């Protein structure tokens, strides 16, 4: 009924200061995750290089075809991580729901940059 729709009221109060605090907290979380992911890139690169080397050796030594033709980067940043912005090694934080996506974006950016 149209009259009922006109009578619905919302009494939620939005505090701009609290909203800004929440946005800054999210920004800080994403920045910490990006720092950690950048530190993981080298070890992930070494893992991929070793996988390719093993694949080449297996293909040369075994008459059958390689059982896994795809060697892909893996995301290893799930769960709690040590805060990279502090010297306190006991300071940990939980990964955000965006962590997998930012990892993928970082790899795409690095691959695109390397190809240029």
């Amino acid at each position: 009924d149209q009259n009922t729709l006109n009578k619905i009221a919302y009494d939620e109060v939005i505090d701009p200061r609290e909203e800004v605090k929440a946005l800054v907290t999210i920004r800080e979380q994403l920045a910490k995750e990006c720092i950690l992911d950048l530190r993981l890139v080298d070890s992930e690169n070494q893992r991929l290089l070793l996988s390719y080397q093993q694949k080449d050796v297996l293909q040369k030594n075994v008459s059958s075809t390689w059982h896994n033709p795809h060697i892909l980067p893996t995301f290893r940043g799930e769960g709690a991580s040590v805060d990279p912005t502090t010297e306190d090694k006991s300071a940990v934080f939980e990964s955000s729901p965006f962590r997998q996506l930012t990892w993928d974006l970082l790899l795409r950016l690095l691959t695109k940059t390397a190809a240029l």
Side-chain angles (χ1 to χ4, degrees):
D1 177 73
Q2 189 65 22
N3 292 334
T4 306
L5 291 176
N6 292 335
K7 294 180 183 181
I8 296 175
Y10 297 97
D11 59 356
E12 186 173 344
V13 177
I14 297 175
D15 182 4
R17 288 175 289 201
E18 292 301 318
E19 296 300 318
V20 168
K21 284 182 189 176
L23 289 173
V24 168
T25 302
I26 292 169
R27 184 199 62 80
E28 290 172 351
Q29 173 80 13
L30 293 175
K32 289 175 185 178
E33 291 173 4
C34 286
I35 291 169
L36 289 171
D37 289 345
L38 283 168
R39 291 178 181 168
L40 287 174
V41 167
D42 186 51
S43 64
E44 183 60 18
N45 185 51
Q46 295 302 321
R47 188 192 68 77
L48 289 172
L49 286 173
L50 181 61
S51 296
Y52 277 112
Q53 291 168 351
Q54 290 172 344
K55 176 183 172 182
D56 289 342
V57 168
L58 282 174
Q59 283 180 338
K60 290 176 184 173
N61 294 331
V62 179
S63 61
S64 64
T65 60
W66 175 250
H67 68 280
N68 182 5
H70 304 290
I71 298 175
L72 303 171
T74 56
F75 176 65
R76 295 175 287 145
E78 295 172 335
S81 300
V82 175
D83 186 343
T85 61
T86 180
E87 295 296 320
D88 182 9
K89 298 301 178 202
S90 65
V92 296
F93 67 96
E94 192 67 29
S95 294
S96 74
F98 304 111
R99 185 82 187 271
Q100 176 73 48
L101 298 173
T102 57
W103 171 252
D104 290 340
L105 287 172
L106 174 65
L107 292 182
R108 288 175 184 249
L109 174 65
L110 292 171
T111 304
K112 187 77 163 178
T113 303
L116 295 177

